[in-house]
Amino acid sequence: MAAFEPIQAKIEDLEEIIDFLYSDFFKNDPLTVMKVPREMSEEMTRGVVTKGEMVALRSATIRTRDEPTYIKIDKESEAQHIFFQFNRKIFAKISLWDILPKEIERVLWISLISVRLDYTRKGLAKRLVTFDQDAWKEQGLQSACAIAAAIKSQKLFTGLGFNVLAEVLHEDIVSDEDGTRIVQCIDGTDRHQCLKDPLEINTHLFHRADLGTNPGLSYRKAVIELFYDVISPYSWIQFEALSRYAKVWPVELKLKPFYLGGVMKAAGNRPPMTVPAKGVYMLKDLQQNNRYWGTHLNTPSNFAEIVMGKTTIQAQRMLAAVAEVEPEKLEETSRELWRRIWSRGESIFEADDFQQTAKTVGIKNTKRVFELMKDEKIKKTISSNVEKAVESGAFGAPWTIVTLPNGESETFFGSDRMHLIADYIGVPFEGPLKQHAAKL
């Protein structure tokens, strides 16, 4: 295979860059339907191969906070062209500096990657993305970001580990004149994506910024589903861990109360307390977790007496009912039920227990919650959660399902897999994060 060498462009290469754009990019890019005139392309060029035959191009610039990432056009005639109308509307919805954490001040902004058709599938696009990567930190760059306007470039960046920060659907970009969709891409591309490299150049690179609200903008997050039962102390540990990390990871945490007894039966599993050696180890292990996570788990001295002949099905139905009536109270209601049995050694099985829990948490519509606990809808919710967990391989609790923005998913058992979850999502695991702990 021929050798290729990416090097920095010079101003005298501008005409060659424009020739390349017109021989490849503007013929093969999905946005070619907008017919950008040749004289308007100069503003959009930066990187180039300047020796020998030009076969690929990267346009990238260094941007600092509050500096726009879009192309500013001064000529009124050009500014009114459909291409720039389209891009103005895209960047009005995607504001890079609003999406990135506030501590990110300086980034490499990749606006274009193009490879000549007869030189595709040789790894050139990947090399252009990562070209001069070793120098990024030396240049004070904290991240590399990109705007991907084609399916191929979107796959390229995500394949290199870039995370999708935001996306705008093309169907939401309409003409000011008649309200019709501005562009229909010839290759089926239906969205623009804003992406960020996975490198932890900055210590807090993955901490979420205040995203605010922006109509038409979809922030892509991994979804974490936690399947739990309040009879399980390890579910409490995982619950607290995920609640803390949901504040700093780009994730959406969904709480899924299920009935552990149903899962254990389906999987042919037995509670750890029924195996003497496991029971002894669990007591020691819970204390070690207390120290690490800052939790207050205490195995009740009369635990066997408390749970003998009891079931948590009603407690789990209470959680499902709270999620239906006052979803903002689900987290604290779950925590209070855990506190009752695993901190204070109190019952969580009788009607009075649920009344006291509702009062402590401050649930307003308790009547509706207790009515729903008997409703078939709530019973079905618990059954559905059990079924989903079992179908995904669950045999105990806690059970966590992580679904990435691209639709791929993975399962994790127990409360000691947080580092693996972090690795799967592509974010750092920073220990117990006690500074984000709820009041226990």
Side-chain angles (χ1 to χ4, degrees):
M1 186 180 80
F4 301 96
E5 183 62 29
I7 58 177
Q8 190 64 43
K10 303 180 183 69
I11 190 64
E12 56 263 31
D13 301 311
L14 186 57
E15 285 302 316
E16 189 178 3
I17 295 172
I18 295 173
D19 287 341
F20 177 82
L21 286 172
Y22 264 83
S23 67
D24 181 83
F25 182 75
F26 288 121
K27 284 186 178 179
N28 301 307
D29 186 82
L31 298 177
T32 54
V33 291
M34 291 190 281
K35 296 180 171 50
V36 179
R38 180 186 178 92
E39 62 269 17
M40 288 169 55
S41 66
E42 183 173 335
E43 297 285 347
M44 298 181 287
T45 60
R46 285 294 184 271
V48 67
V49 178
T50 60
K51 294 183 179 179
E53 184 180 17
M54 188 186 307
V55 295
L57 180 146
R58 180 189 85 183
S59 175
T61 53
I62 293 175
R63 300 290 186 181
T64 55
R65 183 165 284 279
D66 298 327
E67 185 179 1
T69 49
Y70 56 85
I71 303 164
K72 185 177 180 181
I73 299 298
D74 295 323
K75 295 180 182 179
E76 183 62 26
S77 59
E78 294 181 357
Q80 293 307 311
H81 189 277
I82 188 174
F83 176 83
F84 290 107
Q85 285 189 44
F86 181 79
N87 277 278
R88 279 200 306 275
K89 290 176 179 288
I90 287 288
F91 286 105
K93 293 178 178 292
I94 295 180
S95 177
L96 178 68
W97 300 115
D98 289 339
I99 300 170
L100 288 174
K102 290 181 172 60
E103 57 265 28
I104 300 296
E105 298 284 345
R106 185 176 169 89
V107 303
L108 181 72
W109 177 248
I110 303 173
S111 57
L112 182 152
I113 295 284
S114 182
V115 178
R116 213 170 76 184
L117 279 180
D118 52 337
Y119 281 89
T120 57
R121 306 190 70 81
K122 297 181 184 294
L124 297 183
K126 290 182 179 180
R127 288 184 62 189
L128 282 177
V129 172
T130 57
F131 169 56
D132 68 7
Q133 192 175 69
D134 292 340
W136 291 356
K137 192 169 184 178
E138 295 176 7
Q139 295 171 337
L141 299 175
Q142 297 166 287
S143 184
C145 299
I147 188 76
I151 288 177
K152 288 183 178 179
S153 59
Q154 290 163 10
K155 290 181 178 180
L156 167 69
F157 284 112
T158 54
L160 289 171
F162 276 61
N163 300 307
V164 179
L165 295 177
E167 61 181 18
V168 177
L169 298 179
H170 290 173
E171 64 184 22
D172 295 328
I173 308 300
V174 297
S175 168
D176 292 332
E177 286 74 29
D178 56 16
T180 59
R181 179 171 174 169
I182 290 180
V183 66
Q184 185 83 43
C185 293
I186 58 177
D187 70 340
T189 300
D190 65 351
R191 68 196 63 201
H192 268 52
Q193 289 183 339
C194 181
L195 306 99
K196 184 181 71 61
D197 78 284
L199 298 180
E200 193 181 350
I201 301 173
N202 184 285
T203 303
H204 302 290
L205 193 61
F206 295 93
H207 286 207
R208 278 191 303 185
D210 179 9
L211 298 179
T213 57
N214 193 337
L217 181 59
S218 172
Y219 292 97
R220 300 281 297 276
K221 302 177 183 178
V223 175
I224 299 180
E225 296 174 283
L226 174 62
F227 294 81
Y228 65 98
D229 188 317
V230 291
I231 197 64
S232 162
Y234 291 102
S235 287
W236 190 9
I237 296 169
Q238 182 73 345
F239 170 89
E240 296 298 346
L242 288 175
S243 295
R244 296 174 194 180
Y245 272 92
K247 298 174 183 176
V248 298
W249 283 350
V251 300
E252 178 184 359
L253 176 59
K254 294 184 177 182
L255 300 178
K256 299 286 186 177
F258 70 175
Y259 179 47
L260 180 56
V263 175
M264 300 282 279
K265 182 177 180 180
N269 200 359
R270 290 197 298 162
M273 284 295 192
T274 62
V275 180
K278 284 186 179 181
V280 172
Y281 179 80
M282 190 180 86
L283 297 177
K284 179 180 69 172
D285 189 48
L286 291 179
Q287 292 308 309
Q288 291 173 335
N289 275 281
N290 276 340
R291 288 193 295 273
Y292 183 77
W293 291 103
T295 50
H296 300 288
L297 278 155
N298 298 298
T299 305
S301 57
N302 59 338
F303 180 76
E305 179 183 333
I306 293 175
V307 302
M308 187 64 68
K310 306 287 179 60
T311 172
T312 56
I313 189 65
Q314 291 301 323
Q316 298 305 106
R317 287 176 183 171
M318 179 186 185
L319 294 177
V322 170
E324 182 76 21
V325 179
E326 296 181 33
E328 71 280 4
K329 295 289 187 180
L330 177 58
E331 179 179 334
E332 190 54 30
T333 304
S334 301
R335 186 175 286 117
E336 176 58 19
L337 286 170
W338 270 307
R339 283 195 197 105
R340 286 184 63 87
I341 188 168
W342 288 106
S343 284
R344 304 194 296 266
E346 298 172 351
S347 170
I348 56 168
F349 307 105
E350 310 297 336
D352 285 347
D353 304 333
F354 307 137
Q355 289 282 0
Q356 291 174 23
T357 299
K359 183 178 180 180
T360 300
V361 173
I363 294 174
K364 298 174 182 178
N365 197 349
T366 54
K367 181 180 179 181
R368 181 57 181 155
V369 168
F370 295 138
E371 287 175 348
L372 275 179
M373 286 173 64
K374 304 173 185 177
D375 194 283
E376 285 300 318
K377 179 180 180 180
I378 294 303
K379 294 178 182 179
K380 186 173 292 186
T381 296
I382 296 298
S383 296
S384 296
N385 288 345
V386 168
E387 289 173 10
K388 182 174 182 178
V390 170
E391 287 175 1
S392 66
F395 51 86
W399 187 255
T400 306
I401 301 178
V402 179
T403 304
L404 301 180
N406 64 7
E408 295 179 3
S409 64
E410 187 58 88
T411 57
F412 302 87
F413 171 71
S415 59
D416 55 354
R417 306 293 197 276
M418 288 296 293
H419 58 300
L420 299 180
I421 293 175
D423 180 70
Y424 184 66
I425 298 172
V427 292
F429 176 67
E430 300 175 329
L433 288 188
K434 292 181 181 178
Q435 67 272 28
H436 292 297
K439 186 177 179 180
L440 299 176

